[in-house]
Amino acid sequence: MQSEVVEGCRGVIGVREQGNAGQAGYCLSKAITADPADISLRFHRASLYVELRDYHKAAESYEQIARLCPENVEALKTATMVFKSIFLLACSI
């Protein structure tokens, strides 16, 4: 069952490209629940949140990735960028 959920959600990139971000987010969350060790799924979800400009959820997602893989420099760089965006957004209000 677990592998079926993950494999079924591998097509989430196509769903995302078709503009259905809600379905893509749902699918990614379900796949992450089924396979929490798959970091690529977490990266896809975090980048989806950035695209949607939901910077708080994106920051949470990148923070989870950084906790799971502290050696992942790309996650740390992107998390820094997202936190900077949140700060700049807060300052402009």
mmCIF file of all heavy atoms in Angstrom, residues 39-78:
data_model
loop_
_atom_site.group_PDB
_atom_site.id
_atom_site.type_symbol
_atom_site.label_atom_id
_atom_site.label_comp_id
_atom_site.label_asym_id
_atom_site.label_seq_id
_atom_site.Cartn_x
_atom_site.Cartn_y
_atom_site.Cartn_z
ATOM 1 N N ILE A 39 13.170 12.362 0.736
ATOM 2 C CA ILE A 39 13.429 13.805 0.804
ATOM 3 C C ILE A 39 12.986 14.515 -0.471
ATOM 4 O O ILE A 39 12.557 15.670 -0.424
ATOM 5 C CB ILE A 39 14.928 14.062 1.088
ATOM 6 C CG1 ILE A 39 15.320 13.461 2.440
ATOM 7 C CG2 ILE A 39 15.265 15.540 1.032
ATOM 8 C CD1 ILE A 39 14.529 13.986 3.621
ATOM 9 N N SER A 40 13.049 13.837 -1.608
ATOM 10 C CA SER A 40 12.657 14.489 -2.863
ATOM 11 C C SER A 40 11.185 14.913 -2.831
ATOM 12 O O SER A 40 10.829 15.965 -3.367
ATOM 13 C CB SER A 40 12.928 13.581 -4.062
ATOM 14 O OG SER A 40 12.080 12.459 -4.051
ATOM 15 N N LEU A 41 10.337 14.113 -2.183
ATOM 16 C CA LEU A 41 8.932 14.493 -2.052
ATOM 17 C C LEU A 41 8.791 15.768 -1.229
ATOM 18 O O LEU A 41 7.996 16.649 -1.547
ATOM 19 C CB LEU A 41 8.132 13.363 -1.395
ATOM 20 C CG LEU A 41 8.002 12.073 -2.190
ATOM 21 C CD1 LEU A 41 7.410 10.966 -1.315
ATOM 22 C CD2 LEU A 41 7.158 12.292 -3.435
ATOM 23 N N ARG A 42 9.594 15.862 -0.171
ATOM 24 C CA ARG A 42 9.566 17.063 0.677
ATOM 25 C C ARG A 42 10.053 18.291 -0.094
ATOM 26 O O ARG A 42 9.513 19.388 0.063
ATOM 27 C CB ARG A 42 10.393 16.842 1.931
ATOM 28 C CG ARG A 42 9.789 15.803 2.861
ATOM 29 C CD ARG A 42 10.676 15.552 4.072
ATOM 30 N NE ARG A 42 10.156 14.486 4.893
ATOM 31 C CZ ARG A 42 9.243 14.656 5.849
ATOM 32 N NH1 ARG A 42 8.757 15.850 6.096
ATOM 33 N NH2 ARG A 42 8.824 13.629 6.554
ATOM 34 N N PHE A 43 11.078 18.107 -0.936
ATOM 35 C CA PHE A 43 11.567 19.215 -1.766
ATOM 36 C C PHE A 43 10.483 19.691 -2.728
ATOM 37 O O PHE A 43 10.282 20.891 -2.904
ATOM 38 C CB PHE A 43 12.814 18.803 -2.559
ATOM 39 C CG PHE A 43 14.103 19.178 -1.909
ATOM 40 C CD1 PHE A 43 14.915 18.200 -1.368
ATOM 41 C CD2 PHE A 43 14.515 20.495 -1.837
ATOM 42 C CE1 PHE A 43 16.121 18.528 -0.761
ATOM 43 C CE2 PHE A 43 15.711 20.841 -1.240
ATOM 44 C CZ PHE A 43 16.523 19.862 -0.703
ATOM 45 N N HIS A 44 9.782 18.746 -3.344
ATOM 46 C CA HIS A 44 8.706 19.124 -4.271
ATOM 47 C C HIS A 44 7.621 19.913 -3.552
ATOM 48 O O HIS A 44 7.137 20.924 -4.057
ATOM 49 C CB HIS A 44 8.086 17.886 -4.930
ATOM 50 C CG HIS A 44 8.921 17.298 -6.021
ATOM 51 N ND1 HIS A 44 9.284 17.972 -7.158
ATOM 52 C CD2 HIS A 44 9.474 16.066 -6.134
ATOM 53 C CE1 HIS A 44 10.012 17.207 -7.930
ATOM 54 N NE2 HIS A 44 10.148 16.032 -7.327
ATOM 55 N N ARG A 45 7.244 19.447 -2.348
ATOM 56 C CA ARG A 45 6.197 20.153 -1.608
ATOM 57 C C ARG A 45 6.669 21.547 -1.190
ATOM 58 O O ARG A 45 5.928 22.521 -1.318
ATOM 59 C CB ARG A 45 5.745 19.346 -0.397
ATOM 60 C CG ARG A 45 4.562 20.009 0.317
ATOM 61 C CD ARG A 45 3.971 19.173 1.395
ATOM 62 N NE ARG A 45 4.921 18.952 2.475
ATOM 63 C CZ ARG A 45 4.661 18.255 3.558
ATOM 64 N NH1 ARG A 45 3.474 17.691 3.716
ATOM 65 N NH2 ARG A 45 5.563 18.092 4.493
ATOM 66 N N ALA A 46 7.900 21.649 -0.727
ATOM 67 C CA ALA A 46 8.429 22.951 -0.309
ATOM 68 C C ALA A 46 8.474 23.924 -1.491
ATOM 69 O O ALA A 46 8.079 25.083 -1.356
ATOM 70 C CB ALA A 46 9.816 22.783 0.298
ATOM 71 N N SER A 47 8.920 23.447 -2.646
ATOM 72 C CA SER A 47 8.982 24.339 -3.808
ATOM 73 C C SER A 47 7.585 24.709 -4.296
ATOM 74 O O SER A 47 7.372 25.819 -4.797
ATOM 75 C CB SER A 47 9.822 23.737 -4.923
ATOM 76 O OG SER A 47 9.220 22.594 -5.451
ATOM 77 N N LEU A 48 6.627 23.816 -4.124
ATOM 78 C CA LEU A 48 5.239 24.150 -4.454
ATOM 79 C C LEU A 48 4.753 25.296 -3.572
ATOM 80 O O LEU A 48 4.131 26.242 -4.051
ATOM 81 C CB LEU A 48 4.340 22.923 -4.278
ATOM 82 C CG LEU A 48 2.845 23.143 -4.491
ATOM 83 C CD1 LEU A 48 2.557 23.508 -5.947
ATOM 84 C CD2 LEU A 48 2.074 21.900 -4.097
ATOM 85 N N TYR A 49 5.066 25.237 -2.273
ATOM 86 C CA TYR A 49 4.683 26.316 -1.367
ATOM 87 C C TYR A 49 5.332 27.637 -1.768
ATOM 88 O O TYR A 49 4.701 28.694 -1.688
ATOM 89 C CB TYR A 49 5.056 25.977 0.076
ATOM 90 C CG TYR A 49 4.203 24.904 0.711
ATOM 91 C CD1 TYR A 49 4.770 23.957 1.564
ATOM 92 C CD2 TYR A 49 2.839 24.832 0.493
ATOM 93 C CE1 TYR A 49 4.009 22.973 2.167
ATOM 94 C CE2 TYR A 49 2.059 23.851 1.083
ATOM 95 C CZ TYR A 49 2.648 22.925 1.923
ATOM 96 O OH TYR A 49 1.887 21.957 2.515
ATOM 97 N N VAL A 50 6.577 27.588 -2.229
ATOM 98 C CA VAL A 50 7.245 28.821 -2.684
ATOM 99 C C VAL A 50 6.513 29.373 -3.895
ATOM 100 O O VAL A 50 6.241 30.579 -3.965
ATOM 101 C CB VAL A 50 8.736 28.570 -2.994
ATOM 102 C CG1 VAL A 50 9.351 29.783 -3.685
ATOM 103 C CG2 VAL A 50 9.510 28.242 -1.717
ATOM 104 N N GLU A 51 6.179 28.513 -4.854
ATOM 105 C CA GLU A 51 5.434 28.947 -6.040
ATOM 106 C C GLU A 51 4.116 29.602 -5.662
ATOM 107 O O GLU A 51 3.689 30.568 -6.285
ATOM 108 C CB GLU A 51 5.136 27.758 -6.954
ATOM 109 C CG GLU A 51 6.266 27.358 -7.837
ATOM 110 C CD GLU A 51 5.867 26.202 -8.730
ATOM 111 O OE1 GLU A 51 4.695 26.141 -9.167
ATOM 112 O OE2 GLU A 51 6.730 25.350 -8.977
ATOM 113 N N LEU A 52 3.470 29.053 -4.637
ATOM 114 C CA LEU A 52 2.175 29.580 -4.187
ATOM 115 C C LEU A 52 2.336 30.800 -3.278
ATOM 116 O O LEU A 52 1.354 31.364 -2.823
ATOM 117 C CB LEU A 52 1.395 28.492 -3.448
ATOM 118 C CG LEU A 52 0.997 27.283 -4.284
ATOM 119 C CD1 LEU A 52 0.396 26.197 -3.405
ATOM 120 C CD2 LEU A 52 0.017 27.688 -5.378
ATOM 121 N N ARG A 53 3.594 31.148 -3.019
ATOM 122 C CA ARG A 53 3.947 32.265 -2.125
ATOM 123 C C ARG A 53 3.452 32.048 -0.699
ATOM 124 O O ARG A 53 3.154 32.992 0.018
ATOM 125 C CB ARG A 53 3.442 33.587 -2.682
ATOM 126 C CG ARG A 53 4.098 33.917 -3.993
ATOM 127 C CD ARG A 53 3.645 35.211 -4.541
ATOM 128 N NE ARG A 53 4.251 35.367 -5.861
ATOM 129 C CZ ARG A 53 4.278 36.493 -6.515
ATOM 130 N NH1 ARG A 53 3.738 37.559 -5.994
ATOM 131 N NH2 ARG A 53 4.836 36.556 -7.688
ATOM 132 N N ASP A 54 3.363 30.783 -0.324
ATOM 133 C CA ASP A 54 3.029 30.426 1.055
ATOM 134 C C ASP A 54 4.363 30.192 1.763
ATOM 135 O O ASP A 54 4.792 29.065 1.992
ATOM 136 C CB ASP A 54 2.149 29.181 1.102
ATOM 137 C CG ASP A 54 1.563 28.941 2.490
ATOM 138 O OD1 ASP A 54 2.129 29.472 3.478
ATOM 139 O OD2 ASP A 54 0.553 28.226 2.590
ATOM 140 N N TYR A 55 5.026 31.292 2.071
ATOM 141 C CA TYR A 55 6.401 31.237 2.556
ATOM 142 C C TYR A 55 6.520 30.594 3.937
ATOM 143 O O TYR A 55 7.536 29.983 4.241
ATOM 144 C CB TYR A 55 7.035 32.622 2.540
ATOM 145 C CG TYR A 55 7.134 33.190 1.141
ATOM 146 C CD1 TYR A 55 6.471 34.362 0.786
ATOM 147 C CD2 TYR A 55 7.870 32.527 0.167
ATOM 148 C CE1 TYR A 55 6.555 34.869 -0.506
ATOM 149 C CE2 TYR A 55 7.956 33.023 -1.129
ATOM 150 C CZ TYR A 55 7.302 34.197 -1.459
ATOM 151 O OH TYR A 55 7.387 34.680 -2.735
ATOM 152 N N HIS A 56 5.497 30.712 4.747
ATOM 153 C CA HIS A 56 5.564 30.092 6.083
ATOM 154 C C HIS A 56 5.585 28.564 5.966
ATOM 155 O O HIS A 56 6.392 27.898 6.612
ATOM 156 C CB HIS A 56 4.414 30.565 6.967
ATOM 157 C CG HIS A 56 4.536 32.002 7.370
ATOM 158 N ND1 HIS A 56 5.406 32.414 8.343
ATOM 159 C CD2 HIS A 56 3.933 33.113 6.900
ATOM 160 C CE1 HIS A 56 5.326 33.725 8.466
ATOM 161 N NE2 HIS A 56 4.441 34.179 7.595
ATOM 162 N N LYS A 57 4.705 28.019 5.129
ATOM 163 C CA LYS A 57 4.698 26.568 4.934
ATOM 164 C C LYS A 57 5.976 26.116 4.233
ATOM 165 O O LYS A 57 6.502 25.042 4.528
ATOM 166 C CB LYS A 57 3.469 26.128 4.146
ATOM 167 C CG LYS A 57 2.205 26.153 4.967
ATOM 168 C CD LYS A 57 1.048 25.586 4.187
ATOM 169 C CE LYS A 57 -0.218 25.610 5.029
ATOM 170 N NZ LYS A 57 -1.373 25.082 4.283
ATOM 171 N N ALA A 58 6.457 26.925 3.295
ATOM 172 C CA ALA A 58 7.712 26.586 2.613
ATOM 173 C C ALA A 58 8.854 26.544 3.617
ATOM 174 O O ALA A 58 9.661 25.610 3.611
ATOM 175 C CB ALA A 58 8.010 27.602 1.518
ATOM 176 N N ALA A 59 8.908 27.536 4.496
ATOM 177 C CA ALA A 59 9.968 27.584 5.508
ATOM 178 C C ALA A 59 9.893 26.367 6.429
ATOM 179 O O ALA A 59 10.919 25.750 6.742
ATOM 180 C CB ALA A 59 9.868 28.871 6.316
ATOM 181 N N GLU A 60 8.689 26.005 6.836
ATOM 182 C CA GLU A 60 8.521 24.818 7.683
ATOM 183 C C GLU A 60 9.009 23.565 6.961
ATOM 184 O O GLU A 60 9.673 22.716 7.554
ATOM 185 C CB GLU A 60 7.048 24.641 8.064
ATOM 186 C CG GLU A 60 6.539 25.645 9.058
ATOM 187 C CD GLU A 60 5.025 25.537 9.273
ATOM 188 O OE1 GLU A 60 4.389 24.612 8.721
ATOM 189 O OE2 GLU A 60 4.488 26.389 9.989
ATOM 190 N N SER A 61 8.684 23.472 5.681
ATOM 191 C CA SER A 61 9.087 22.302 4.906
ATOM 192 C C SER A 61 10.605 22.218 4.772
ATOM 193 O O SER A 61 11.196 21.152 4.951
ATOM 194 C CB SER A 61 8.455 22.341 3.510
ATOM 195 O OG SER A 61 7.060 22.213 3.607
ATOM 196 N N TYR A 62 11.242 23.348 4.451
ATOM 197 C CA TYR A 62 12.707 23.341 4.325
ATOM 198 C C TYR A 62 13.377 23.094 5.674
ATOM 199 O O TYR A 62 14.427 22.458 5.742
ATOM 200 C CB TYR A 62 13.212 24.629 3.686
ATOM 201 C CG TYR A 62 12.997 24.643 2.195
ATOM 202 C CD1 TYR A 62 12.111 25.538 1.602
ATOM 203 C CD2 TYR A 62 13.664 23.739 1.368
ATOM 204 C CE1 TYR A 62 11.905 25.541 0.235
ATOM 205 C CE2 TYR A 62 13.451 23.730 -0.001
ATOM 206 C CZ TYR A 62 12.585 24.637 -0.562
ATOM 207 O OH TYR A 62 12.373 24.631 -1.919
ATOM 208 N N GLU A 63 12.757 23.578 6.732
ATOM 209 C CA GLU A 63 13.296 23.315 8.073
ATOM 210 C C GLU A 63 13.247 21.809 8.382
ATOM 211 O O GLU A 63 14.196 21.248 8.937
ATOM 212 C CB GLU A 63 12.504 24.098 9.120
ATOM 213 C CG GLU A 63 13.078 24.008 10.503
ATOM 214 C CD GLU A 63 12.307 24.849 11.509
ATOM 215 O OE1 GLU A 63 11.445 25.649 11.117
ATOM 216 O OE2 GLU A 63 12.579 24.689 12.704
ATOM 217 N N GLN A 64 12.157 21.157 8.002
ATOM 218 C CA GLN A 64 12.051 19.698 8.187
ATOM 219 C C GLN A 64 13.135 18.978 7.387
ATOM 220 O O GLN A 64 13.768 18.046 7.891
ATOM 221 C CB GLN A 64 10.672 19.200 7.746
ATOM 222 C CG GLN A 64 9.549 19.599 8.652
ATOM 223 C CD GLN A 64 8.189 19.245 8.068
ATOM 224 O OE1 GLN A 64 8.087 18.674 6.975
ATOM 225 N NE2 GLN A 64 7.128 19.590 8.787
ATOM 226 N N ILE A 65 13.349 19.410 6.156
ATOM 227 C CA ILE A 65 14.384 18.796 5.325
ATOM 228 C C ILE A 65 15.754 18.984 5.972
ATOM 229 O O ILE A 65 16.551 18.043 6.047
ATOM 230 C CB ILE A 65 14.374 19.384 3.892
ATOM 231 C CG1 ILE A 65 13.071 19.026 3.178
ATOM 232 C CG2 ILE A 65 15.584 18.896 3.100
ATOM 233 C CD1 ILE A 65 12.834 19.800 1.892
ATOM 234 N N ALA A 66 16.011 20.185 6.466
ATOM 235 C CA ALA A 66 17.312 20.470 7.093
ATOM 236 C C ALA A 66 17.511 19.626 8.352
ATOM 237 O O ALA A 66 18.628 19.185 8.629
ATOM 238 C CB ALA A 66 17.419 21.954 7.426
ATOM 239 N N ARG A 67 16.429 19.398 9.094
ATOM 240 C CA ARG A 67 16.546 18.556 10.290
ATOM 241 C C ARG A 67 16.816 17.094 9.922
ATOM 242 O O ARG A 67 17.591 16.406 10.569
ATOM 243 C CB ARG A 67 15.280 18.635 11.150
ATOM 244 C CG ARG A 67 15.379 19.710 12.219
ATOM 245 C CD ARG A 67 14.252 19.625 13.230
ATOM 246 N NE ARG A 67 13.162 20.485 12.780
ATOM 247 C CZ ARG A 67 11.928 20.068 12.476
ATOM 248 N NH1 ARG A 67 11.586 18.817 12.631
ATOM 249 N NH2 ARG A 67 11.016 20.908 12.055
ATOM 250 N N LEU A 68 16.164 16.634 8.856
ATOM 251 C CA LEU A 68 16.337 15.247 8.430
ATOM 252 C C LEU A 68 17.677 15.016 7.734
ATOM 253 O O LEU A 68 18.256 13.935 7.829
ATOM 254 C CB LEU A 68 15.201 14.829 7.487
ATOM 255 C CG LEU A 68 13.820 14.722 8.117
ATOM 256 C CD1 LEU A 68 12.762 14.558 7.034
ATOM 257 C CD2 LEU A 68 13.777 13.545 9.076
ATOM 258 N N CYS A 69 18.155 16.036 7.024
ATOM 259 C CA CYS A 69 19.416 15.925 6.263
ATOM 260 C C CYS A 69 20.260 17.174 6.487
ATOM 261 O O CYS A 69 20.343 18.033 5.607
ATOM 262 C CB CYS A 69 19.132 15.783 4.779
ATOM 263 S SG CYS A 69 18.219 14.341 4.337
ATOM 264 N N PRO A 70 20.878 17.307 7.647
ATOM 265 C CA PRO A 70 21.641 18.527 7.934
ATOM 266 C C PRO A 70 22.808 18.760 6.975
ATOM 267 O O PRO A 70 23.287 19.888 6.848
ATOM 268 C CB PRO A 70 22.130 18.324 9.363
ATOM 269 C CG PRO A 70 21.928 16.902 9.677
ATOM 270 C CD PRO A 70 20.903 16.364 8.737
ATOM 271 N N GLU A 71 23.222 17.722 6.264
ATOM 272 C CA GLU A 71 24.327 17.871 5.312
ATOM 273 C C GLU A 71 23.858 18.390 3.951
ATOM 274 O O GLU A 71 24.667 18.685 3.079
ATOM 275 C CB GLU A 71 25.060 16.536 5.136
ATOM 276 C CG GLU A 71 24.318 15.485 4.335
ATOM 277 C CD GLU A 71 23.178 14.775 5.066
ATOM 278 O OE1 GLU A 71 23.000 14.972 6.285
ATOM 279 O OE2 GLU A 71 22.442 14.028 4.415
ATOM 280 N N ASN A 72 22.550 18.554 3.775
ATOM 281 C CA ASN A 72 21.996 18.985 2.499
ATOM 282 C C ASN A 72 22.102 20.507 2.373
ATOM 283 O O ASN A 72 21.259 21.246 2.863
ATOM 284 C CB ASN A 72 20.540 18.527 2.383
ATOM 285 C CG ASN A 72 19.997 18.716 0.998
ATOM 286 O OD1 ASN A 72 20.232 19.726 0.363
ATOM 287 N ND2 ASN A 72 19.258 17.738 0.520
ATOM 288 N N VAL A 73 23.144 20.939 1.706
ATOM 289 C CA VAL A 73 23.439 22.369 1.573
ATOM 290 C C VAL A 73 22.348 23.088 0.790
ATOM 291 O O VAL A 73 21.984 24.216 1.113
ATOM 292 C CB VAL A 73 24.823 22.572 0.913
ATOM 293 C CG1 VAL A 73 25.110 24.036 0.664
ATOM 294 C CG2 VAL A 73 25.901 21.948 1.775
ATOM 295 N N GLU A 74 21.806 22.441 -0.234
ATOM 296 C CA GLU A 74 20.760 23.067 -1.048
ATOM 297 C C GLU A 74 19.534 23.408 -0.202
ATOM 298 O O GLU A 74 18.950 24.487 -0.341
ATOM 299 C CB GLU A 74 20.365 22.142 -2.200
ATOM 300 C CG GLU A 74 19.448 22.794 -3.210
ATOM 301 C CD GLU A 74 20.062 24.023 -3.875
ATOM 302 O OE1 GLU A 74 21.266 24.045 -4.119
ATOM 303 O OE2 GLU A 74 19.290 24.961 -4.137
ATOM 304 N N ALA A 75 19.144 22.511 0.685
ATOM 305 C CA ALA A 75 17.999 22.771 1.560
ATOM 306 C C ALA A 75 18.291 23.947 2.484
ATOM 307 O O ALA A 75 17.427 24.800 2.705
ATOM 308 C CB ALA A 75 17.664 21.533 2.380
ATOM 309 N N LEU A 76 19.495 24.014 3.004
ATOM 310 C CA LEU A 76 19.850 25.113 3.906
ATOM 311 C C LEU A 76 19.859 26.457 3.168
ATOM 312 O O LEU A 76 19.366 27.458 3.688
ATOM 313 C CB LEU A 76 21.211 24.841 4.556
ATOM 314 C CG LEU A 76 21.263 23.614 5.467
ATOM 315 C CD1 LEU A 76 22.698 23.332 5.899
ATOM 316 C CD2 LEU A 76 20.367 23.798 6.677
ATOM 317 N N LYS A 77 20.388 26.467 1.948
ATOM 318 C CA LYS A 77 20.404 27.708 1.150
ATOM 319 C C LYS A 77 18.982 28.170 0.841
ATOM 320 O O LYS A 77 18.662 29.348 0.969
ATOM 321 C CB LYS A 77 21.154 27.483 -0.162
ATOM 322 C CG LYS A 77 22.642 27.432 -0.039
ATOM 323 C CD LYS A 77 23.238 27.229 -1.427
ATOM 324 C CE LYS A 77 24.734 27.137 -1.407
ATOM 325 N NZ LYS A 77 25.280 26.909 -2.764
ATOM 326 N N THR A 78 18.149 27.238 0.420
ATOM 327 C CA THR A 78 16.777 27.598 0.059
ATOM 328 C C THR A 78 15.991 28.030 1.284
ATOM 329 O O THR A 78 15.216 28.984 1.215
ATOM 330 C CB THR A 78 16.083 26.426 -0.649
ATOM 331 O OG1 THR A 78 16.904 25.971 -1.720
ATOM 332 C CG2 THR A 78 14.742 26.838 -1.196
#
